[in-house]
Amino acid sequence: MVSTLRVPIDKKALIDLYKSVRRRTMEIVAPLEIEDYVIQTAEFMSPPRWHIGHTSWFFETVLQAHKPAFRVYSEDFLYYFNSYYEGFGSRIERPKRGTKSRPTVKATVAYRNHVDEQMLSFLESTSDPTIWSLVRLGLEHEMQHQELLVYDIKHLLCDQFEVAMSAKPQSVVRVEGMAEIEGGLMWLGYAERGSSRGSSPTVKEGQSGDEFAFDNEKPEHQVFIKDFAIDKAPVSNGDFLAFIQNGGYKNFRWWFSEGWETVNREHWHAPLYWEIHDGQWLIRDFDGLRPVSERLDEPVCHVSFFEASAYAKWLGKRLPTEAEWEKAACYDSNGVKHLFPWGEQIPRAEQGNLFENGHWSAAPVGSYPQGVNAYGCHQLIGDVWEWTTSDYVPYPGFKSEFDEYNDKWFVNQKVLRGGSFATPQLHIRSTYRNFFHAHERWMTSGFRCAQDI
Ligand SMILES: [Fe+2]
């Protein structure tokens, strides 16, 4: 069972959140053997040792900038653990993170402990709101890396990773068909608390409120959408198997040109982690190698934007825009916007399959009736990130709140929504904009389709 994270409302709560987020990272890597920490199995993944150091490096940059008389721990560590921040000096190239055996895991953990000591004494001594917001950003950053650790450990070890997993729930309702949703003007993006315009909900104590949102979710602004229909459930393994068996990966007509090139260059025949043995498709997951026929009702996972788009075209449908997805996930039947399909409260385990549920996998469609939205759509939050057809670009009026965090990625990527079984409960909102390149699929990515009506 993983530790619980709570929203910080004062200094003590922020310090508690700091401790619990930092502890959870080490809980995730705890089952690894020492050799596992340093291996890089692909250019797009990072060795676990790098993640535990890099998330500490992030806090060290806060200390460097704001803590009086702070001394850098090691110039070599600054070089190895910087990810992509030009403003923080030179760094090792990403594909080479697994080519170094130093710093050792032991030295990295010592570095991590040192940064924690420094950070905790610093937090006790300051009430500067700038520092608090930087620390909160650092904790959200660490939660992002916790999710990346799940992707990377899966790529590294998959069913060899010996982690305690809780049993997946059973489907309790049949979910099929599409929901028809009215269009018109809608508010897209995150509503700042106290905002005099837009859809800012009334926030009560104990609710997630606007404690945190990334700059790329703001400002909330109006957009016009047409009436549309959206799948009530994410596309399942069974649905996607039909596409494969119908020759979907062999027919250029369903694919974007760049997608078709990728299919042929990478020899794709199925989602990542699918294997064919004696003519039978199996999925290799944290819980072993099992026939797809045993997992037909689970949302399909590890598909690229190209694969999601090809499937949708094959069915005569399309992917939703992020505005359509957000309309479905946030609006109730009275036209009032909320942070989640059920209201303002942070997700509970009964409402969606997030990291705290402990399944390490998507759960069958129909397992979370308490997470249903006003239109009958299930599992919008959790299970798998859902591809949208929207480009990851700044919203009108965007203001960068932190250099090189979100703004430098506003090109050539697609938006995904909703979080996954690897996302911490505290980290997700319906307005959260995740983003990846169209060909990427090592993350927990799935989708649902939409249609014009
Ligand atoms: Fe990072």
Side-chain angles (χ1 to χ4, degrees), residues 54 83 141 145:
H54 167 69
S83 52
H141 169 257
H145 277 275

Side-chain angles (χ1 to χ4, degrees), residues 92-396:
I92 191 166
E93 292 169 51
R94 180 175 174 161
K96 293 186 176 167
R97 288 173 188 163
T99 64
K100 305 279 180 205
S101 58
R102 306 297 170 97
T104 62
V105 177
K106 194 172 155 188
T108 305
V109 172
Y111 169 57
R112 192 173 168 88
N113 292 338
H114 172 79
V115 169
D116 281 345
E117 269 175 37
Q118 295 286 316
M119 273 305 300
L120 288 169
S121 69
F122 183 46
L123 281 174
E124 292 287 0
S125 70
T126 181
S127 293
D128 182 343
T130 305
I131 306 298
W132 281 32
S133 66
L134 274 173
V135 170
R136 184 65 195 270
L137 177 70
L139 295 175
E140 298 291 336
H141 169 257
E142 183 135 355
M143 287 188 258
Q144 290 179 317
H145 277 275
Q146 289 168 355
E147 177 153 5
L148 290 168
L149 267 168
V150 174
Y151 307 166
D152 289 350
I153 291 171
K154 188 168 186 177
H155 202 266
L156 178 71
L157 291 171
C158 206
D159 51 340
Q160 292 177 293
F161 185 57
E162 292 180 12
V163 63
M165 286 174 279
S166 58
K168 276 185 272 190
Q170 304 273 320
S171 176
V172 291
V173 286
R174 194 171 176 80
V175 186
E176 52 192 8
M178 302 182 86
E180 295 194 351
I181 299 181
E182 68 285 356
L185 276 175
M186 63 165 280
W187 291 95
L188 178 65
Y190 184 80
E192 299 273 17
R193 183 188 291 189
S195 160
S196 59
R197 62 176 185 81
S199 64
S200 185
T202 308
V203 178
K204 300 188 181 76
E205 197 176 341
Q207 299 179 334
S208 61
D210 62 349
E211 289 292 343
F212 183 86
F214 285 108
D215 52 7
N216 62 12
E217 300 166 57
K218 306 177 219 173
E220 191 188 35
H221 60 287
Q222 280 188 301
V223 297
F224 180 82
I225 58 169
K226 291 169 67 177
D227 295 349
F228 68 103
I230 190 165
D231 287 345
K232 289 184 179 174
V235 170
S236 68
N237 288 326
D239 298 332
F240 204 82
L241 182 63
F243 171 67
I244 296 171
Q245 291 176 333
N246 193 247
Y249 281 79
K250 298 190 175 82
N251 192 338
F252 69 89
R253 67 187 303 176
W254 313 128
W255 299 82
F256 291 125
S257 173
E258 207 178 305
W260 185 240
E261 283 171 22
T262 310
V263 165
N264 289 295
R265 187 181 62 246
E266 304 293 332
H267 306 291
W268 284 356
H269 301 287
L272 185 63
Y273 300 116
W274 285 43
E275 301 176 18
I276 193 160
H277 293 237
D278 300 325
Q280 186 186 24
W281 283 108
L282 302 106
I283 296 175
R284 193 178 294 278
D285 208 340
F286 284 114
D287 64 356
L289 182 64
R290 294 197 289 118
V292 174
S293 57
E294 292 178 13
R295 310 181 58 163
L296 292 174
D297 293 341
E298 292 172 22
V300 68
C301 191
H302 299 295
V303 288
S304 62
F305 175 79
F306 292 142
E307 289 158 296
S309 303
Y311 172 92
K313 188 172 183 184
W314 172 71
L315 263 191
K317 297 182 179 178
R318 60 176 174 80
L319 298 182
T321 65
E322 63 174 323
E324 289 169 337
W325 193 98
E326 189 166 313
K327 172 90 187 202
C330 294
Y331 277 78
D332 66 21
S333 51
N334 297 316
V336 178
K337 189 177 179 187
H338 303 279
L339 284 170
F340 296 100
W342 49 83
E344 267 54 67
Q345 292 84 3
I346 293 164
R348 289 182 284 108
E350 302 77 32
Q351 291 171 314
N353 181 14
L354 294 152
F355 185 69
E356 285 80 353
N357 295 52
H359 304 312
W360 293 74
S361 167
V365 168
S367 298
Y368 296 94
Q370 293 187 45
V372 70
N373 79 340
Y375 305 94
C377 297
H378 287 245
Q379 285 154 283
L380 286 156
I381 299 295
D383 283 305
V384 288
W385 287 99
E386 298 185 13
W387 285 107
T388 72
T389 195
S390 298
D391 291 328
Y392 179 59
V393 292
Y395 285 157

Side-chain angles (χ1 to χ4, degrees), residues 50-51 54-55 57-58 81 83-85 141-142 144-145 148 405:
W50 183 83
H51 285 289
H54 167 69
T55 46
W57 168 90
F58 192 99
F81 291 122
S83 52
Y84 55 70
Y85 296 88
H141 169 257
E142 183 135 355
Q144 290 179 317
H145 277 275
L148 290 168
Y405 200 91

